[in-house]
Amino acid sequence: MGRILVLYDSATGNTEKMAMLVAEGVEHVEGMEVRIRSVVDARAEDVLWCNGIAVGTPTNCGILSWKMKKFWDDLVEEYWGRIDGKIGCAFSSSGGWAGGNEVACLSILSVLMNFGFLVFGVTDYVADKFTLHYGAAIAGEPRAEREQEACRRLGRRLAQWVRVYVDGEPDVIQDTGAREHM
Amino acid sequence: MGRILVLYDSATGNTEKMAMLVAEGVEHVEGMEVRIRSVVDARAEDVLWCNGIAVGTPTNCGILSWKMKKFWDDLVEEYWGRIDGKIGCAFSSSGGWAGGNEVACLSILSVLMNFGFLVFGVTDYVADKFTLHYGAAIAGEPRAEREQEACRRLGRRLAQWVRVYVDGEPDVIQDTGAREHM
Amino acid sequence: MGRILVLYDSATGNTEKMAMLVAEGVEHVEGMEVRIRSVVDARAEDVLWCNGIAVGTPTNCGILSWKMKKFWDDLVEEYWGRIDGKIGCAFSSSGGWAGGNEVACLSILSVLMNFGFLVFGVTDYVADKFTLHYGAAIAGEPRAEREQEACRRLGRRLAQWVRVYVDGEPDVIQDTGAREHM
Amino acid sequence: MGRILVLYDSATGNTEKMAMLVAEGVEHVEGMEVRIRSVVDARAEDVLWCNGIAVGTPTNCGILSWKMKKFWDDLVEEYWGRIDGKIGCAFSSSGGWAGGNEVACLSILSVLMNFGFLVFGVTDYVADKFTLHYGAAIAGEPRAEREQEACRRLGRRLAQWVRVYVDGEPDVIQDTGAREHM
């Protein structure tokens, strides 16, 4: 059993849609419990609860939104240095391609690393010329199948790493699929 | 004449002290007007006013503080895409060395680049084994002379670039001093 | 008059095609002299010569290629700290979207900042949902008009900043076009 | 049992000394086998062999050295997408403080994430105002006890995470020590 938190901020609804798809991906892996929380409703307890976390934000100047930053800044005083070792990943929706969605994912990973989390990107190509090496990163709403699949794949991989590492089931990943679309 | 804004957020007073030193450095260059603004008091008008800007933040999880992020996020709607071409740089105080002060400077530069600013670090060594390649980055309070000089040098270089570029006076920088302490 | 160097490494020809388009963009601005150099043929003298530089690389693990890194590493001993103040920008072609092309651009900008250059991204949207906030970043070959225009826009903006700053002609940029496609 | 690779490039011997200290730290954890390899001697087989990897580089323009980059670029063709899920971390020695050693660590982590590794920093303060949030990052030679301890702590934490995750022994980390020096 693993516990996954999908935590997101959303301004236009796009990042929220990504969050739902990430959660869908988590459910491809058996025995996972998933919580989806908007940053407005999330509490420290949700972070403590989970083994793995996917954090999503609109791309605002290539950095996570101030609301999401505030959530983690507020957590520092009480929890920093006490919740090390969870597994984390990122997703972001930007206004445009080459508009900073990868960089925003990196800023999320930086925050998670500061809390001692182990963070990852995904090597898989989910379609021709479409991957998620620093997390799921798209422009606008996740409409195209490849965009939706990138979100799902992130959730699935997060759940798989949690199962591999937390539950000690290394054979859950046979093939990462990284080379499938090469 | 150039106009320099030193904009900072400070939790413990350390980044504020850095801001004062940066402003001191600006004044080494003749004919500069400088405004120092805490993020609490700063207004969009201050950003519009300046030719060059130094932005400082405590290092919070390797990313600018949420308050500083909020300032820029709030600016996007009205001003983004309309204030391109200013010159920008960064400074940050962290809890410890290797604690993310460089990375926090990079996060500031990312925000400034998103607004179309030209950003820079400083090649100079201000003392043996002490430089500011991504902006002035120190741990704790700026006490040691080399830490204070890093802040001043950032301000001075900002003022020099503003004068070189905005006022067209290229001979204001004869020697960057980069090799002085090598 | 301004002097622009377009310096690139290319494995498959894609980044080379981007380089040609960047150079085309430079030529939209009057009075610019442009040199296009593959990293194999480029020499230190080319970097010394230019006022502005656009550096391109294939996205290899989200970082500039080792060949391009070697070029700059080799330059350090003799030239580092002596060529500060040029204007720089980046471009990169990755295997896929969300595959690290933005991050690779950032790695180039990091190198350029280390040499004391002033670096920039472009706020403009060149088409619906298509921009170049950290430099021109595309997946594969630059085929679509918006991909080609991103490359050209980078070159044009580089030339404009060189003209604004080096030649002191601030009215060369009336409108950055950032809001055109919003 | 876990297998740890300490892979480094070194120009002046400083990063090599860090590598030795990282390896020392690994040995604080029982049952770990450690290989130390200079990038000149390392082979793909060494990467395949390990469960966890610490990669070190001199800070060259805030990015891993071209030699270390070449090692990973050369690995891509045959091994990329086939070795996902190892645990990775970084260390770097720069010419000076605020000279890019954190940023160089981030560039290593970017490469490792591209290969599908789970990467981490360390929350611990190893002394007053001295930590390793993005990996062990120092200026010059690791002489001071706190600098040496940062390297050892990185190795120890890597070995602990490998044991926690690969061997399923979660109680190996009681206290991260993050708050010890606060």
Side-chain angles (χ1 to χ4, degrees):
Chain A
M1 274 294 295
R3 298 181 299 274
I4 306 283
L5 176 64
V6 180
L7 172 67
Y8 68 94
D9 183 25
S10 191
T12 61
N14 292 336
T15 311
E16 183 171 48
K17 279 173 192 147
M18 294 183 82
M20 299 305 156
L21 291 157
V22 171
E24 246 185 75
V26 171
E27 284 159 9
H28 273 79
V29 178
E30 244 183 294
M32 290 290 138
E33 198 178 342
V34 60
R35 274 189 201 175
I36 309 172
R37 290 286 182 274
S38 157
V39 75
V40 181
D41 304 317
R43 297 195 295 178
E45 192 273 323
D46 295 313
V47 177
L48 301 189
W49 167 82
C50 73
N51 309 118
I53 185 166
V55 177
T57 177
T59 300
N60 294 156
C61 299
I63 305 285
L64 67 175
S65 68
W66 72 263
K67 280 182 198 163
M68 183 57 81
K69 186 71 196 332
K70 186 173 188 307
F71 178 83
W72 292 95
D73 283 0
D74 288 349
L75 222 60
V76 165
E77 189 143 347
E78 199 164 350
Y79 296 104
W80 179 83
R82 294 184 168 147
I83 53 174
D84 300 57
K86 298 174 189 291
I87 296 178
C89 61
F91 57 100
S92 187
S93 166
S94 62
W97 294 104
N101 47 25
E102 291 180 357
V103 186
C105 283
L106 271 187
S107 76
I108 290 171
L109 298 181
S110 175
V111 170
L112 299 181
M113 282 179 57
N114 262 270
F115 275 88
F117 296 2
L118 289 85
V119 303
F120 70 93
V122 178
T123 50
D124 305 27
Y125 276 69
V126 296
D128 183 43
K129 295 207 294 177
F130 213 84
T131 183
L132 53 152
H133 288 0
Y134 301 88
I138 69 165
E141 193 187 336
R143 280 192 205 167
E145 171 54 24
R146 62 182 194 174
E147 295 167 345
Q148 301 193 350
E149 180 55 21
C151 299
R152 283 189 215 104
R153 191 68 57 99
L154 184 73
R156 195 168 93 195
R157 186 57 36 89
L158 173 59
Q160 288 172 319
W161 287 143
V162 165
R163 212 167 141 189
V164 167
Y165 283 127
V166 179
D167 294 351
E169 305 205 15
D171 53 351
V172 79
I173 299 186
Q174 281 89 22
D175 184 358
T176 66
R179 288 166 173 272
E180 203 174 319
H181 291 278
M182 296 287 290
Chain B
M1 275 295 296
R3 295 180 302 274
I4 307 283
L5 176 64
V6 180
L7 172 68
Y8 69 93
D9 183 24
S10 192
T12 63
N14 292 336
T15 311
E16 183 171 47
K17 279 172 192 148
M18 294 183 81
M20 298 306 155
L21 291 158
V22 172
E24 246 184 75
V26 171
E27 283 158 10
H28 273 79
V29 178
E30 243 184 295
M32 290 290 137
E33 199 177 341
V34 60
R35 274 188 201 175
I36 309 172
R37 290 285 183 275
S38 157
V39 75
V40 181
D41 304 317
R43 296 195 296 178
E45 191 274 323
D46 296 311
V47 177
L48 301 189
W49 167 83
C50 74
N51 309 117
I53 186 166
V55 177
T57 178
T59 301
N60 294 156
C61 299
I63 304 285
L64 67 175
S65 67
W66 72 263
K67 280 182 200 164
M68 184 57 81
K69 185 72 193 335
K70 184 173 190 306
F71 178 83
W72 291 96
D73 283 1
D74 288 349
L75 222 60
V76 164
E77 189 143 346
E78 199 164 350
Y79 296 104
W80 178 82
R82 293 183 169 148
I83 53 175
D84 300 56
K86 297 173 189 292
I87 295 179
C89 61
F91 57 99
S92 187
S93 167
S94 62
W97 294 105
N101 47 26
E102 291 181 357
V103 187
C105 283
L106 271 188
S107 77
I108 290 171
L109 298 181
S110 175
V111 170
L112 299 181
M113 283 179 56
N114 262 269
F115 274 88
F117 295 4
L118 290 83
V119 303
F120 69 94
V122 177
T123 51
D124 304 28
Y125 276 68
V126 295
D128 183 42
K129 294 207 296 179
F130 213 85
T131 184
L132 52 152
H133 288 0
Y134 300 89
I138 69 166
E141 193 187 335
R143 280 191 203 167
E145 171 53 26
R146 65 181 192 175
E147 294 167 346
Q148 300 193 350
E149 181 55 22
C151 298
R152 283 189 215 104
R153 191 69 58 97
L154 183 73
R156 195 169 92 193
R157 187 56 36 89
L158 173 60
Q160 288 173 319
W161 287 143
V162 164
R163 214 168 139 187
V164 167
Y165 283 127
V166 178
D167 294 352
E169 304 205 16
D171 52 353
V172 79
I173 299 187
Q174 281 88 23
D175 185 358
T176 65
R179 288 168 173 269
E180 202 174 320
H181 291 278
M182 295 288 289
Chain C
M1 275 293 297
R3 296 181 301 274
I4 306 283
L5 175 64
V6 180
L7 172 67
Y8 68 93
D9 183 25
S10 191
T12 61
N14 292 337
T15 311
E16 183 171 48
K17 278 172 192 148
M18 293 183 83
M20 299 304 157
L21 291 158
V22 171
E24 245 184 76
V26 171
E27 284 158 10
H28 274 79
V29 178
E30 244 183 294
M32 290 290 138
E33 198 177 340
V34 60
R35 275 189 200 174
I36 309 171
R37 291 286 183 274
S38 158
V39 75
V40 181
D41 304 318
R43 296 195 297 178
E45 192 273 322
D46 296 312
V47 177
L48 301 189
W49 167 82
C50 74
N51 308 117
I53 185 166
V55 177
T57 177
T59 300
N60 294 156
C61 299
I63 305 285
L64 67 176
S65 68
W66 72 264
K67 280 181 199 165
M68 183 57 82
K69 186 70 194 336
K70 185 173 189 305
F71 178 83
W72 292 96
D73 283 359
D74 288 348
L75 222 59
V76 165
E77 188 143 347
E78 199 164 351
Y79 295 104
W80 178 82
R82 295 184 168 145
I83 53 175
D84 299 57
K86 298 173 190 292
I87 295 178
C89 60
F91 57 99
S92 187
S93 167
S94 62
W97 294 105
N101 46 26
E102 290 180 357
V103 186
C105 283
L106 271 188
S107 76
I108 290 171
L109 298 180
S110 176
V111 170
L112 298 181
M113 283 179 57
N114 262 270
F115 274 88
F117 296 3
L118 290 83
V119 303
F120 70 94
V122 177
T123 50
D124 304 27
Y125 276 69
V126 296
D128 183 44
K129 294 208 295 178
F130 213 85
T131 183
L132 52 151
H133 287 0
Y134 300 89
I138 69 165
E141 193 187 336
R143 281 192 203 166
E145 171 53 25
R146 63 182 193 174
E147 296 167 344
Q148 300 192 349
E149 181 54 21
C151 299
R152 283 189 215 105
R153 191 67 58 99
L154 183 73
R156 195 168 92 194
R157 187 56 37 90
L158 173 59
Q160 288 172 319
W161 287 142
V162 165
R163 213 166 141 189
V164 167
Y165 283 127
V166 179
D167 294 351
E169 305 205 15
D171 52 352
V172 80
I173 299 187
Q174 281 89 21
D175 185 358
T176 65
R179 288 167 174 272
E180 203 174 318
H181 292 278
M182 295 288 289
Chain D
M1 276 295 295
R3 294 181 303 274
I4 306 284
L5 176 64
V6 180
L7 172 68
Y8 68 94
D9 183 24
S10 191
T12 62
N14 293 336
T15 311
E16 183 171 48
K17 279 172 191 147
M18 295 183 81
M20 299 305 155
L21 291 157
V22 172
E24 246 184 75
V26 171
E27 284 159 9
H28 274 79
V29 178
E30 244 184 294
M32 289 290 138
E33 199 178 341
V34 60
R35 274 188 201 176
I36 309 172
R37 290 285 183 276
S38 157
V39 74
V40 181
D41 304 318
R43 297 195 295 178
E45 192 273 324
D46 296 312
V47 177
L48 301 190
W49 168 81
C50 74
N51 308 117
I53 185 166
V55 177
T57 178
T59 301
N60 295 156
C61 299
I63 305 285
L64 68 174
S65 67
W66 71 264
K67 280 182 198 165
M68 184 56 82
K69 186 73 194 334
K70 185 173 189 306
F71 177 83
W72 292 95
D73 283 0
D74 288 349
L75 223 59
V76 165
E77 188 143 347
E78 199 164 351
Y79 296 105
W80 178 82
R82 293 184 170 147
I83 53 175
D84 300 57
K86 298 174 189 292
I87 295 179
C89 60
F91 57 100
S92 187
S93 167
S94 62
W97 294 104
N101 47 25
E102 291 180 357
V103 187
C105 282
L106 271 187
S107 76
I108 290 172
L109 298 181
S110 175
V111 170
L112 298 181
M113 283 179 57
N114 262 270
F115 274 89
F117 296 3
L118 290 83
V119 303
F120 69 94
V122 177
T123 51
D124 304 27
Y125 276 69
V126 295
D128 183 43
K129 294 206 298 178
F130 213 85
T131 184
L132 53 151
H133 288 359
Y134 299 89
I138 69 165
E141 192 186 335
R143 280 191 204 166
E145 171 53 25
R146 64 182 191 174
E147 295 167 346
Q148 299 193 352
E149 181 55 20
C151 298
R152 283 189 215 104
R153 192 67 58 98
L154 183 73
R156 195 169 91 194
R157 188 56 36 91
L158 173 59
Q160 289 173 318
W161 287 143
V162 164
R163 214 167 139 188
V164 167
Y165 283 127
V166 179
D167 293 351
E169 305 206 15
D171 52 353
V172 80
I173 299 187
Q174 281 88 22
D175 185 358
T176 66
R179 287 166 175 271
E180 202 174 319
H181 292 277
M182 294 288 289

